[in-house]
């Protein structure tokens, strides 16, 4: 036992030589008011920098990349909600025309859209009626989902009389045969929502909540949309579980209004063109190890700077007279 104690005592100086944090006994410690003030400032700085670093750690970084869209034969889903408060539902029709020559007139007949009555109150408030008689109201709200090909095309809200059943197969005849449009219609409209594809975080639809006002009954509204296919990859959640990519689209839009129509029925048309470029958005979470390293750097850096400032003040003789008196004693 004595040999082991003696061996431990001989080994202690070796560990003491490796100590990178030498200590001073209490008799040689000097505490000053300037040192206390610097310590408070240092702790406040550490707290502010730590909160900023922690907020940056929680924020998700976004990586944007562009590539050629190689997907063929896919369809685009369009969510649309538009109200024309001065056009009744019985003469409002949704037409879809694609660059391949495929035309779908009067999409209401396909039961894919929901038509509801609407009215613009004298106070300027828009009211939508959720009843079974949409044709009895002065305006019309059209909402629903469409499926279109990824090619050039037009979505058009046209005003006119419906064709009789015997002529229902004559594509394009209703647009030419338009007695209801002879007197004109005010196509003031509200675009509550126009979205291509599924929703994802940070998605922006330029035409959402847009209000377009026409001051006469001969106005024609045209919107030109450039649609870009978008693939959104969410950041992995807990335990590294990743979610499936969201296939959606985003678009840019320009608007054109004309009150001098020639051989053209009153309509609100959305001319869309699908770009061959795909936009890939990937969420990249911050690294926890990087957060730990940056936090240690903040703490160590602030302490080092505070110690340097305190040492300069102390050795520069900028302490108070009371502290100098205590040092002389």
């Amino acid at each position: 036992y004595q040999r082991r104690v003696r061996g431990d005592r001989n080994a202690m100086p070796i560990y003491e030589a490796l100590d990178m944090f030498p200590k001073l006994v209490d008799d040689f410690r000097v505490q000053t008011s300037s040192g206390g003030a610097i310590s408070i400032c240092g702790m406040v700085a550490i707290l502010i920098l730590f909160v900023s670093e922690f907020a940056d750690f929680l924020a998700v970084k976004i990586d944007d990349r562009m590539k050629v869209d190689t997907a063929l034969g896919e369809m685009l889903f369009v969510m649309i909600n538009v109200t024309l408060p001065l056009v009744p539902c019985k003469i409002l029709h949704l037409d879809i025309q694609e660059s391949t020559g495929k035309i779908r007139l009067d999409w209401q007949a396909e039961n894919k859209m929901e038509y509801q009555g609407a009215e613009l109150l004298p106070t300027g408030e828009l009211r939508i009626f959720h009843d079974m008689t949409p044709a009895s109201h002065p305006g019309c709200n059209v909402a629903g989902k469409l499926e279109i090909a990824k090619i050039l095309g037009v979505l058009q809200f046209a005003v006119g009389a419906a064709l009789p059943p015997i002529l229902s197969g004559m594509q394009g005849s209703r647009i030419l045969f338009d007695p209801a449009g002879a007197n004109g219609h005010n196509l003031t409209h509200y675009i509550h929502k126009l979205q291509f594809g599924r929703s994802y975080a940070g998605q922006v639809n330029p035409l959402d909540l847009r209000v377009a006002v026409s001051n006469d009954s001969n106005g024609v509204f045209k919107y030109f949309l450039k649609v870009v296919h978008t693939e959104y990859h969410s950041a992995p959640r807990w335990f590294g579980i990743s979610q499936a990519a969201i296939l959606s689209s985003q678009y840019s839009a320009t608007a054109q209004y004309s009150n001098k129509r020639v051989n053209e029925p009153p309509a609100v048309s959305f001319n869309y063109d699908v770009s061959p470029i795909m936009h890939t958005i990937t969420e990249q979470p911050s690294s926890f190890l990087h957060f730990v390293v940056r936090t240690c750097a903040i703490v160590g850096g602030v302490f080092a700077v505070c110690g340097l400032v305190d040492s300069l003040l102390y050795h520069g003789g900028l302490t108070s007279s009371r502290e100098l008196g205590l040092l002389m004693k």
Side-chain angles (χ1 to χ4, degrees):
Y1 174 77
Q2 291 180 354
R3 291 180 179 176
R4 184 168 56 185
V5 172
R6 188 178 298 111
D8 293 341
R9 289 179 178 177
N10 293 334
M12 285 299 293
I14 299 177
Y15 294 103
E16 292 177 358
L18 298 176
D19 188 4
M20 296 184 296
F21 309 99
K23 289 82 178 175
L24 296 175
V25 296
D26 294 338
D27 294 339
F28 294 96
R29 293 178 182 271
V30 178
Q31 294 178 328
T32 61
S33 58
S34 60
I38 294 174
S39 299
I40 295 176
C41 294
M43 288 186 290
V44 172
I46 290 176
L47 179 61
I48 295 175
L49 294 176
F50 174 78
V51 171
S52 175
E53 189 65 35
F54 186 69
D56 183 72
F57 168 72
L58 295 179
V60 178
K61 309 301 187 298
I62 299 296
D63 179 36
D64 296 280
R65 296 178 182 271
M66 307 296 290
K67 63 180 182 180
V68 177
D69 187 5
T70 57
L72 300 175
E74 291 186 353
M75 304 295 290
L76 279 179
F77 292 94
V78 183
M79 289 179 284
I80 189 169
N81 188 344
V82 178
T83 300
L84 286 82
L86 303 178
V87 179
C89 290
K90 61 182 179 181
I91 62 173
L92 181 64
H93 308 273
L94 175 59
D95 303 330
I96 305 175
Q97 181 176 359
E98 299 174 351
S99 59
T100 57
K102 182 179 180 181
I103 301 176
R104 288 174 281 179
L105 291 179
D106 199 2
W107 192 245
Q108 180 181 8
E110 300 290 340
N111 296 323
K112 299 293 185 179
M113 307 296 293
E114 182 178 1
Y115 284 67
Q116 298 175 333
E119 181 181 3
L120 186 62
L121 302 179
T123 58
E125 181 182 357
L126 179 63
R127 182 180 180 185
I128 298 176
F129 300 90
H130 301 277
D131 53 28
M132 302 301 295
T133 58
S136 63
H137 300 287
C140 187
N141 170 259
V142 184
K145 296 182 179 180
L146 303 173
E147 189 178 47
I148 59 176
K150 293 172 56 177
I151 54 178
L152 186 69
V154 180
L155 300 175
Q156 180 173 264
F157 289 94
V159 179
L163 284 173
I166 192 173
L167 300 177
S168 59
M170 298 176 59
Q171 296 182 346
S173 298
R174 178 176 52 75
I175 296 180
L176 299 177
F177 178 68
D178 185 27
N183 297 326
H185 298 277
N186 191 313
L187 295 181
T188 295
H189 57 276
Y190 296 75
I191 304 176
H192 307 284
K193 189 174 189 64
L194 180 60
Q195 176 177 314
F196 290 81
R198 297 169 54 192
S199 300
Y200 61 88
Q203 185 178 25
V204 177
N205 300 314
L207 293 182
D208 283 2
L209 304 179
R210 180 184 177 89
V211 180
V213 179
S214 176
N215 296 322
D216 52 53
S217 58
N218 294 317
V220 176
F221 292 89
K222 293 183 179 181
Y223 296 94
F224 300 91
L225 314 179
K226 192 67 174 181
V227 183
V228 178
H229 192 51
T230 303
E231 193 176 64
Y232 190 89
H233 298 267
S234 302
R237 303 306 176 188
W238 298 105
F239 306 106
I241 300 177
S242 59
Q243 300 178 351
I246 299 176
L247 300 179
S248 182
S249 297
Q250 51 188 324
Y251 64 92
S252 61
T254 56
Q256 179 183 356
Y257 172 75
S258 175
N259 58 358
K260 296 180 180 180
R261 56 188 180 91
V262 179
N263 297 327
E264 184 179 10
V268 177
S269 61
F270 299 90
N271 302 267
Y272 60 89
D273 184 13
V274 181
S275 172
I277 302 299
M278 175 184 288
H279 182 201
T280 303
I281 305 175
T282 306
E283 292 183 354
Q284 294 182 344
S286 301
S287 172
F288 179 73
L289 293 179
H290 290 175
F291 168 71
V292 173
V293 171
R294 289 192 291 263
T295 301
C296 294
I298 289 173
V299 175
V302 171
F303 268 111
V305 173
C306 291
L308 178 61
V309 174
D310 180 66
S311 177
L312 292 176
L313 293 178
Y314 178 74
H315 293 287
L318 300 180
T319 55
S320 62
S321 58
R322 178 176 178 273
E323 294 167 352
L324 290 175
L326 292 175
L327 292 176
M328 294 179 65
K329 291 180 179 181

